Amino acid sequence: MKKYYIICSLSVLGLASCTKDISSFNEQTKLAAQVPAATLFTNGVRNLSDVLASPNVNRNVSRLIVQQWATTTYPDEPNYDFTTRNIPQTFWTILYRDVIANVKESKRLIPNDITITEDVKKNRLAIADIMEVYTYSILVNTFGDVPYNEAIDASVTFPKYDDAKTIYEDLLKRVDADIAALNTSAAGFTAVQDIVYGGNITKWKKFANALKIRLAMTYADVDAAKAKTAFEQADAGAFAASADNASITYFSATPNNNPIWADLIQSKRQDYVAGETILNKMNALSDPRVPQYFKPNDAGVYVGGKAGALNTYSLFAKPGAKLEDPALPALLLSYDEIEFYRAEAKERGFTVTGSAEEHYNNAIKASIVYWGGTTAQADAYLLQPGVSYLTATGDWKEKIGTQKWIAFYNRTIDTWTDVRRLDYPKLPAPAAARSGFPNRLTYPTNEQTLNGANYTSAAAKIGGDKVETKIFWDKF
């Protein structure tokens, strides 16, 4: 017995000595203990691009809202049911957690990087901030008032919601500071790290000016004088050709492929067909982009499915072959968008070189050529009475709004903004609408349950947490 107890005691002592310091068990041996600032920036931008490009009904349903696509099996989202799949929660979480949190942390780390010069640090900080400004503008355009000053702050458990108009005004100030900070004589992120412009600071400066134009024009019905000033300050420095487009590079190999390919091809699903609203309009105008945007139905005809209905896949046109390319670039901001803004600015009385018609024509030509059409096709299209700026139906809002809606195929978060802002085109109600036209997404369920006091205050301030409630810039 004595030997037994001695052995046990020694065993216990041995165990105690082996486990005296257990902190080593917390050491991560397979993942990086620290992530480089540039990696965080790249990851944030990639996450942003993925969610904006995605057609997945759990993440981004804007193609269905603006009726460029229709569905075959699940009619909930085309009928404005965005809560069954909790789409607001997913979209909100991706933009805050996967985009803004990454970019903010990148900005925090950049000043401590001893491997780069101060000028490079300044450029990287400005570029990261530009992408944060871009992302917040999407959040405001989607939800209205959102957490801003207290967002992504570890010391704030329950962030307050900021006034959407005040956020927009601050975003304009921030982008001004970023434009001033960019130094084209110095480098920024490397070509590998910068998946938008490959390290080209001149193009980032153009992008920042183009973003300022977008913010200004979205804001134009709220404060025309402020929008006019901002537009005129940015116009000369913004995009001058399609070569200036801000686009994300994707690759054929997974997982670095365009998410549209994942939903259309890799999933082997047949969920989407062309929307009859856009396809009927394009067919009526003999639009040369029809075979670029869509593939015909099984009978070889370009016919679209009804929004909100159960559409048989074989009977309707499908998303086009270009969208099945896993390496299809994703646009964040484009030359045709800026040309449409210039046409609009001219109509609003802002100082713009050239006529509204010239900029309208430039935008449409750029879109047709971008999608694979020819300048001859674009010229012929613009001569049609239903397209020509001089003879097309309606006022400038209808002309620009309709053609922008067509040109922004595959840019549907931005399309949704312009449909609300310009009030054109007039989209028909879907087959079994759950509400009126959605002017916003409702706040996420998590905000209602975990940040209840601030959620309740924000919902009351904007006029109710309903999809019909308008964003502050949607004045008419």
Side-chain angles (χ1 to χ4, degrees), residues 239-303:
F239 295 165
S242 294
D244 297 327
N245 287 353
S247 63
I248 303 298
T249 300
Y250 285 105
F251 300 93
S252 296
T254 57
N256 297 312
N257 49 268
N258 191 304
I260 305 172
W261 172 83
D263 275 280
L264 294 182
I265 303 301
Q266 187 182 42
S267 69
K268 296 181 171 60
R269 296 174 66 95
Q270 297 179 341
D271 290 331
Y272 303 113
V273 295
E276 68 174 3
T277 310
I278 192 169
L279 195 46
N280 286 352
K281 183 66 174 179
M282 295 179 75
N283 282 338
L285 297 174
S286 300
D287 195 306
R289 290 165 289 192
V290 167
Q292 309 294 337
Y293 287 6
F294 304 109
K295 294 186 295 186
N297 68 7
D298 288 7
V301 181
Y302 289 99
V303 57

Side-chain angles (χ1 to χ4, degrees), residues 8 12 26 64 122 155 166 172 183 197 202 269 273 288 295 314 358 365 374 418 438:
C8 283
V12 170
N26 291 324
L64 306 176
K122 289 177 182 177
S155 67
T166 304
L172 280 165
N183 178 3
Y197 284 126
T202 299
R269 296 174 66 95
V273 295
K295 294 186 295 186
S314 62
E358 289 170 348
K365 286 180 181 179
T374 65
D418 281 314

Side-chain angles (χ1 to χ4, degrees), residues 146-412:
V146 294
Y148 180 66
N149 287 312
E150 294 183 351
I152 316 296
D153 186 337
S155 67
V156 180
T157 305
F158 306 109
K160 294 178 181 178
Y161 288 59
D162 292 270
D163 175 72
K165 179 174 178 288
T166 304
I167 295 173
Y168 244 69
E169 290 171 347
D170 192 58
L171 296 180
L172 280 165
K173 291 177 183 176
R174 285 172 65 174
V175 80
D176 274 342
D178 295 331
I179 291 168
L182 287 170
N183 178 3
T184 56
S185 298
F189 292 103
T190 68
V192 173
Q193 296 160 351
D194 179 0
I195 58 174
V196 182
Y197 284 126
N200 189 318
I201 302 301
T202 299
K203 288 193 173 183
W204 272 108
K205 200 150 193 169
K206 289 183 178 183
F207 175 80
N209 278 287
L211 178 57
K212 183 176 177 178
I213 284 178
R214 178 195 281 187
L215 293 169
M217 299 308 296
T218 306
Y219 187 85
D221 284 338
V222 178
D223 189 332
K226 185 170 288 187
K228 181 177 186 294
T229 298
F231 172 88
E232 291 172 359
Q233 289 171 342
D235 185 24
F239 295 165
S242 294
D244 297 327
N245 287 353
S247 63
I248 303 298
T249 300
Y250 285 105
F251 300 93
S252 296
T254 57
N256 297 312
N257 49 268
N258 191 304
I260 305 172
W261 172 83
D263 275 280
L264 294 182
I265 303 301
Q266 187 182 42
S267 69
K268 296 181 171 60
R269 296 174 66 95
Q270 297 179 341
D271 290 331
Y272 303 113
V273 295
E276 68 174 3
T277 310
I278 192 169
L279 195 46
N280 286 352
K281 183 66 174 179
M282 295 179 75
N283 282 338
L285 297 174
S286 300
D287 195 306
R289 290 165 289 192
V290 167
Q292 309 294 337
Y293 287 6
F294 304 109
K295 294 186 295 186
N297 68 7
D298 288 7
V301 181
Y302 289 99
V303 57
K306 182 173 177 57
L310 295 174
N311 300 285
T312 302
Y313 189 75
S314 62
L315 299 180
F316 300 101
K318 323 296 189 294
K322 285 184 178 292
L323 276 73
E324 295 176 344
D325 180 1
L328 177 71
L331 287 171
L332 297 179
L333 243 168
S334 59
Y335 168 67
D336 60 336
E337 178 178 357
I338 300 305
E339 282 295 283
F340 278 123
Y341 286 136
R342 287 172 174 140
E344 178 183 340
K346 190 71 174 184
E347 291 287 6
R348 289 180 180 273
F350 298 0
T351 301
V352 187
T353 301
S355 66
E357 180 185 8
E358 289 170 348
H359 292 296
Y360 170 90
N361 290 350
N362 289 343
I364 293 171
K365 286 180 181 179
S367 172
I368 290 173
V369 171
Y370 175 83
W371 279 94
T374 65
T375 54
Q377 287 177 319
D379 290 338
Y381 181 70
L382 288 165
L383 288 175
Q384 295 186 75
V387 178
S388 169
Y389 200 71
L390 299 178
T391 57
T393 302
D395 61 9
W396 65 265
K397 283 192 173 184
E398 183 171 356
K399 295 173 185 179
I400 292 172
T402 300
Q403 286 298 325
K404 201 170 184 182
W405 170 65
I406 294 172
F408 271 30
Y409 183 70
N410 207 37
R411 296 273 310 280
T412 46

Side-chain angles (χ1 to χ4, degrees), residues 50-210:
D50 281 358
V51 74
L52 296 182
S54 175
N56 191 295
V57 290
N58 296 292
R59 296 159 64 89
N60 179 359
V61 295
S62 55
R63 287 174 178 81
L64 306 176
I65 293 174
V66 300
Q67 298 183 11
Q68 294 185 351
W69 286 8
T71 57
T72 59
T73 307
Y74 302 108
D76 303 304
E77 290 74 28
N79 284 311
Y80 309 152
D81 175 2
F82 308 130
T83 57
T84 296
R85 299 179 198 274
N86 207 2
I87 295 157
Q89 182 69 60
T90 302
F91 195 70
W92 174 287
T93 300
I94 290 171
L95 290 183
Y96 272 114
R97 182 196 65 195
D98 301 337
V99 182
I100 293 174
N102 273 297
V103 173
K104 285 190 73 169
E105 181 65 5
S106 175
K107 287 165 60 180
R108 186 185 72 82
L109 295 174
I110 286 169
N112 302 324
D113 189 342
I114 61 174
T115 67
I116 55 177
T117 67
E118 290 303 312
D119 285 341
V120 173
K121 289 179 184 179
K122 289 177 182 177
N123 277 345
R124 291 188 179 186
L125 285 168
I127 291 167
D129 195 64
I130 289 165
M131 294 314 303
E132 189 177 337
V133 167
Y134 183 105
T135 307
Y136 269 117
S137 72
I138 298 295
L139 277 164
V140 170
N141 294 347
T142 303
F143 296 98
D145 292 7
V146 294
Y148 180 66
N149 287 312
E150 294 183 351
I152 316 296
D153 186 337
S155 67
V156 180
T157 305
F158 306 109
K160 294 178 181 178
Y161 288 59
D162 292 270
D163 175 72
K165 179 174 178 288
T166 304
I167 295 173
Y168 244 69
E169 290 171 347
D170 192 58
L171 296 180
L172 280 165
K173 291 177 183 176
R174 285 172 65 174
V175 80
D176 274 342
D178 295 331
I179 291 168
L182 287 170
N183 178 3
T184 56
S185 298
F189 292 103
T190 68
V192 173
Q193 296 160 351
D194 179 0
I195 58 174
V196 182
Y197 284 126
N200 189 318
I201 302 301
T202 299
K203 288 193 173 183
W204 272 108
K205 200 150 193 169
K206 289 183 178 183
F207 175 80
N209 278 287

